[in-house]
Amino acid sequence: MKVSGMPGAHLGGTEIEPVSFGQPIAFKYKDDAHDMQLKDELASWLITDYPASLEFDDEPGRTYYGYVQNTLDDLGKMARLREGTIQFLCLDPFGYGEEDEEYLPSDRAVLIDNIGTADASPTFELDVLKKITYALVAKDDSEYMMIGRPFDVDNQEYEKYETVMFDDASSTTGWTAANAGEINGTIAGSMSSNGYRFQTVDYGVGSSWHGPAIKQGLSDPVSDFRVETKMTFRNTEAADIGRAEVYGLDVNGNQLFKLAMKDILGGKRQSFGEARVGGGVTNHFLISESGDKGWEWNEFEGVLRIEREGREWKAYIAQITDGSHTASRTSDVWTDHQGRFTAELAQVVVHTAKNGTYQAPNQGIDSVRVEKINHRHTGVPYIAGPGDRISFDHKTEEIFINGELRKDLKNLGAHHFLLPPGYNTLSLLPSGGVQGVVKWKPTYY
């Protein structure tokens, strides 16, 4: 930026602007119909709503991501020839090489080489080896990404979420028939396990909602809890009407909450998720909707969760796609100021139902987990344990545990760092607690 009366200029910034590429193109056609056919084929290939990969023969091994900026009608027409230039706009101005990957052990630092000419955005996928209160990835002992926090002698680690019941639906052993009034609807028919899911054998008969319901009691009732169920609800046809539900009951069989996925619309596929506090008469809905667009939870395979701590309730529903949580919904925290729903959780019911003679979808319960919430005035809670996976995506600046977004665990001083060109030293903590891989694409100006 030039300033009047001063020699030279000031540097306004070093940010790289978007880049564009002009690609000459030409094709012959037989007649107007053939011309339109070829333009339609090109449009279906080239016109996208998202950045698509773009490669050129004279830059082997280099990929850009862009959009077509002009229309194919801009191509000139001469005799039986179309020719012109297609303009590609790359809002991301960098070129990328093939993805590199390096193993990160749990007990030593690793030196990696970023062969690009620009900073690269890494992704870390870490497998948890033991119970941990934090996970940290450090670069050159100068930058780090971290979730949770270490414990110390004055603040020892503890299990905030303690599993008191888990059933993977591999068998109905330990489950008994639910009683009338413990669900909303008529209990009829029977349910069994196919080895990995509780599914309906027979819905029985009924003029409204009816189907099997089985329950299991906890060894000890719990006051503060988190209940999570994984469900399958494949409403593949517009005629499918049904519901899959999990209820929480107190020692007297009164409803404390309900989690449900259902489709009640005739002639249209629309899954509807519910997380309800209380019973069928006195209640409060934390979630009661079909998602942002009305179809995200169709053919649902995902998770539903409800949690009570003191008098505060919250809920969560998400589709699971390729191990990642998508189309998720987290409720606001709701406080039961009147203390209407404070009884201890003592039993869990799983239920599938159809309505009248309508066709039911393929639906079932894949697992149920009940966790007791422990409280300490001091101490550091575990955030993950053996078998869990933690992911840090430094390009999108997202943090996941088992596919669920967990930005809430990010340490205050941590940030999503980049890998500059050349050698970088990476290490993991806690030692012996996590191991995994780092992935990155060499990036070029």
Side-chain angles (χ1 to χ4, degrees), residues 278-298:
V281 178
T282 303
N283 57 53
H284 176 84
F285 282 91
L286 301 171
I287 298 176
S288 181
E289 60 176 274
S290 56
D292 290 332
K293 300 178 181 177
W295 49 260
E296 297 100 323
W297 292 339
N298 284 347

Side-chain angles (χ1 to χ4, degrees), residues 162-165 216-222 345-347 370:
E162 177 187 351
T163 299
V164 295
M165 172 202 159
Q216 183 174 151
L218 306 182
S219 56
D220 293 297
V222 292
L345 175 65
Q347 307 170 76
V370 180

Side-chain angles (χ1 to χ4, degrees), residues 46-274:
L46 293 172
I47 307 300
T48 61
D49 294 327
Y50 54 89
S53 59
L54 177 63
E55 301 176 23
F56 299 98
D57 291 341
D58 60 350
E59 294 188 62
R62 195 71 52 85
T63 302
Y64 298 88
Y65 293 90
Y67 305 83
V68 171
Q69 194 172 9
N70 59 337
T71 68
L72 299 182
D73 289 330
D74 294 335
L75 300 177
K77 189 174 183 180
M78 184 172 60
R80 292 287 184 249
L81 179 69
R82 281 274 191 183
E83 63 178 349
T85 300
I86 297 178
Q87 295 291 335
F88 292 97
L89 174 65
C90 298
L91 300 178
D92 179 350
F94 297 105
Y96 296 92
E98 293 293 325
E99 184 175 77
D100 280 338
E101 179 178 320
E102 189 73 37
Y103 171 67
L104 300 177
S106 64
D107 56 356
R108 59 182 173 84
V110 171
L111 189 66
I112 67 167
D113 184 13
N114 174 17
I115 62 174
T117 60
D119 293 343
S121 300
T123 298
F124 297 91
E125 296 178 0
L126 309 179
D127 294 319
V128 181
L129 305 177
K130 64 180 183 181
K131 290 182 180 179
I132 57 174
T133 63
Y134 76 104
L136 180 148
V137 180
K139 178 177 74 72
D140 299 329
D141 293 328
S142 60
E143 297 180 275
Y144 69 95
M145 169 50 60
M146 176 179 172
I147 56 173
R149 61 190 177 98
F151 62 90
D152 56 43
V153 293
D154 295 321
N155 292 280
Q156 292 291 319
E157 71 271 36
Y158 75 97
E159 193 87 57
K160 180 176 181 180
Y161 294 98
E162 177 187 351
T163 299
V164 295
M165 172 202 159
F166 174 72
D167 199 297
D168 61 1
S170 60
S171 170
T172 55
T173 300
W175 294 81
T176 60
N179 301 316
E182 293 179 337
I183 67 161
N184 301 129
T186 301
I187 298 176
S190 61
M191 181 183 297
S192 69
S193 170
N194 62 4
Y196 54 87
R197 180 179 300 130
F198 292 144
Q199 289 191 309
T200 306
V201 175
D202 176 23
Y203 285 102
V205 294
S207 58
S208 185
W209 288 109
H210 63 280
I214 56 177
K215 67 177 181 178
Q216 183 174 151
L218 306 182
S219 56
D220 293 297
V222 292
S223 296
D224 293 335
F225 56 82
R226 181 170 70 179
V227 178
E228 178 178 289
T229 179
K230 291 185 177 177
M231 288 184 181
T232 295
F233 187 83
R234 296 197 181 104
N235 54 335
T236 56
E237 299 183 24
D240 288 340
I241 291 181
R243 68 185 191 189
E245 300 181 323
V246 171
Y247 292 83
L249 310 177
D250 64 16
V251 292
N252 297 314
N254 300 311
Q255 295 178 20
L256 280 177
F257 68 81
K258 180 182 77 169
L259 297 169
M261 188 60 64
K262 64 184 183 181
D263 189 335
I264 61 175
L265 295 180
K268 179 182 179 182
R269 296 193 308 133
Q270 188 165 353
S271 293
F272 199 85
E274 287 185 350

